[in-house]
Amino acid sequence: MLVAAVWFVFRKRIAAYQVYLITEKFKVLPVRDAAEQVRGMELLGMLFCVLLFVAGVLLMVLRTMLR
């Protein structure tokens, strides 16, 4: 859950850096619209953020139930 919280706070910077790495350093994707690519990476990051947070909550609930 802590990783999800940190990811949520810094998601815009992380997404911008990921797009920079993919387009400039590795030359994997052509640069079309940087703002759209950052938005797409940010949405993908939000998906992982939600998955991490839900998994953390589920683990906490299971831990309290199994005590």
Side-chain angles (χ1 to χ4, degrees):
M1 288 175 50
L2 181 64
V3 171
V6 169
W7 189 289
F8 182 77
V9 171
F10 297 108
R11 70 186 183 278
K12 290 186 189 287
R13 286 189 223 166
I14 292 171
Y17 186 66
Q18 287 173 334
V19 168
Y20 168 73
L21 284 178
I22 291 170
T23 57
E24 299 297 323
K25 293 291 184 178
F26 300 130
K27 305 275 191 232
V28 175
L29 293 175
V31 180
R32 294 184 194 134
D33 185 11
E36 283 295 318
Q37 287 179 336
V38 169
R39 180 74 180 140
M41 293 299 281
E42 186 179 343
L43 289 175
L44 183 65
M46 285 299 295
L47 172 71
F48 287 123
C49 178
V50 168
L51 289 175
L52 286 171
F53 191 79
V54 168
V57 169
L58 183 65
L59 286 172
M60 288 176 50
V61 168
L62 287 174
R63 184 175 179 196
T64 58
M65 285 176 38
L66 297 175
R67 277 192 170 199

